[in-house]
Amino acid sequence: MFSEESQDELFSATVTAPVNIAVIKYVFWITPTYRAIYKANRYWGKRDVALNLPANSSFSVSLSQSDLCTRTTASCSRSYSHDELILDDEPCEFLGQADDDADDDSLPPLSSYAVRIETWNNFPTASGLASSASGFAALVRAVANLYGLLPTQQAAAAAPLSRIARLGSGSGMPQPLRRLCTWDGAWARSRTAPTARRKYQLAPASHWPEMRMLVLVSRESKKDVSSTRGMQVTVQTSDMFAYRAANLVPERMRRMEEAVAARDFATFGRLAMKDSNSFHALCLDSEPPIFYMDGSSRAAVTVVGRINEAAGEIIAAYTFDAGPNAVIFYLHRNRHRVAGVFRSLLSEKQGWASERGATIQPSAIDLDHGTVSRLQSGVKRVILTAVGEGPVDIGAAGRREPCGL
Amino acid sequence: MFSEESQDELFSATVTAPVNIAVIKYVFWITPTYRAIYKANRYWGKRDVALNLPANSSFSVSLSQSDLCTRTTASCSRSYSHDELILDDEPCEFLGQADDDADDDSLPPLSSYAVRIETWNNFPTASGLASSASGFAALVRAVANLYGLLPTQQAAAAAPLSRIARLGSGSGMPQPLRRLCTWDGAWARSRTAPTARRKYQLAPASHWPEMRMLVLVSRESKKDVSSTRGMQVTVQTSDMFAYRAANLVPERMRRMEEAVAARDFATFGRLAMKDSNSFHALCLDSEPPIFYMDGSSRAAVTVVGRINEAAGEIIAAYTFDAGPNAVIFYLHRNRHRVAGVFRSLLSEKQGWASERGATIQPSAIDLDHGTVSRLQSGVKRVILTAVGEGPVDIGAAGRREPCGL
């Protein structure tokens, strides 16, 4: 129990985290039984093996925090009445379950020590740029740090925190957050086995210094379907979801790891495009179907295809997360032939006037009118970036580096 | 051999065929070995078992020929220098293989008796409305009829014709045309087994007289990818294609047959939407990805979803062939709640002023601006139609019924 004087005490930890882009896509499970399991696990120390729900491994790349990052502050106090998680000014369902528990009088109150998470982005929050993924990554780390700040006897009373903090350790975490704990640097992978959860940093950010990304931020900011709800629908209704997870992803993971290790861009790019298409195919195969890609996404796919045709090899590769924004990978030495083509098509858009943009020369390529028109009308701005590091602890004091928030 | 006097003789047969829409989609195989097999089979009577390439069954619905039809004339004459198939003013690759054979001096000339196929549609030829499918259906029937017109000794010399005519019999036909020979009425299905090819007419057009279709003809007429080339790419590169064919389609076929037999619209509609999405998911899973659906297609999907939400049951169902045009199924008694919603959104478009349109009252539904805008800017015209009959022989004289061509 808490002593009287701790009533108004506030603990706080702050972390910045990168936007990370999965190139072998993760689809997480939130089954109808998940909620019940989740509730059961809100009790101290109870680690239900049923939490080890199956999922597929994923492979993600961090974008540089000097270009895009999320800053998250986790705080707790007895004066807080309930857990709260705020991402892009929206309450997040995952922690907002006070009502569920209130309905069940047989359960003791869960949150004598409630937690509040607040998240800000240094990029347009409505851009759909993996904001919830980066938000969650920062969340997990910040809460783990926060938990470490608490005096032992208070930590013992802070059941929700201990549960969340375990997420950061990579063991016993509920599946929906699994992707986050695998994030541990610039190139990360995860493997899921029934009895073990492991995370790997396949390579540090410095492993492949030539790698660059061009992000095409779509004009249509608001998603029709949130990625969380979308994944639920996909898992529950796509007839092909389980087939991909069990039969296609393991081989792609193996080949992707080899490609990164060997700095083989053509293989990396081909796999990234293939898995992105495969992920969006599952979304379309859902009931009702989910369309994250729009006309500008299709145009970006066409332009990347033409760039590669013109080059006679794969020098550009796209991936799309749960939204219409294209993330286009290329090597620095091919920047004119890849980013330069987009620059010539999108010269009016914001984002080229950065330090990275200064070295990119526009480059023309033959394209049909419809593709050019869809790209120009659909893209709002561009972001030029590179591979970056994982989450950074900046403490309770709110140090402003590295992401300027 | 031909007698001298047959040199300029011309045989001709004409058939009209409906546009048919697959609600359990067919993906056909054209593997690299197909061309070699095809060439080998150009010899008289040679029926290679290897032609029995696997594929999945399909279930198609004919649209009324009073609204949409294709008229095809097949003719042959010794004066023709080579086989020719013209669909929508484009030579069709399938028969246009004279060059292939000319390259191989070890083969005898194939076409001492060449055939010419000419096709016209009574709907906008550039609308992408299954024009090649209806064209081929008419082709097969017209050629079979033409073959029957020939004197026996001339027919024996007409090797290409005998080969094509066999397509109409449902046995020994090359896989790429298999879908066509299954077309035999208003509701047809096909089953593929290694040793037998069968076609069924599950029900006549009159079986479910309430069934109606609204076709939204897209403004973007030209496909990026032909359906023939698209299917080749899908078969060769989609990792999920074979899984769908082997594991998903058989159960869907069984349930679809039951739904039609029981006139159960909700099940019919749900399966039609599911299989359409599954087909387009495979297209997106291809390498490079194929996008047949565009912004207006997505908007149609959204509107159908909202109509069904408002009704609290499935009263509308979409399907998309290899193009952006939506075909929306509904029952006559629900015409105001389904077609009426599209009428209120697309009142400016051509197609409502028909006899069928006269009975449909506009009906409003709450929709977001983006959906309405994509629908209105993407749809060029609408076609109101119903279930119709299969191909009709109209003989060499060119009788103008039933499709007015």
Side-chain angles (χ1 to χ4, degrees), chain B residues 73-102:
Chain B
T73 295
S75 60
C76 64
S77 167
R78 268 196 105 173
S79 67
Y80 292 172
S81 62
H82 58 282
D83 291 349
E84 220 174 354
L85 170 60
I86 298 160
L87 295 176
D88 295 340
D89 300 323
E90 295 287 336
C92 173
E93 191 186 316
F94 182 72
L95 289 178
Q97 307 219 348
D99 289 346
D100 287 7
D101 297 316

Side-chain angles (χ1 to χ4, degrees), chain B residues 229-251:
Chain B
R229 195 178 138 242
M231 288 196 193
Q232 282 183 278
V233 170
T234 299
V235 168
Q236 288 168 14
T237 65
S238 168
D239 294 323
M240 300 193 281
F241 163 74
Y243 179 75
R244 169 182 174 271
N247 296 283
L248 304 179
V249 168
E251 172 67 6

Side-chain angles (χ1 to χ4, degrees), chain A residues 237 239 252 270 274 287, chain B residues 237 239 252 270 274 287:
Chain A
T237 66
D239 294 323
R252 285 182 197 161
R270 192 169 168 211
K274 188 151 193 60
E287 194 177 349
Chain B
T237 65
D239 294 323
R252 285 183 198 162
R270 192 171 167 207
K274 188 151 194 60
E287 195 176 348

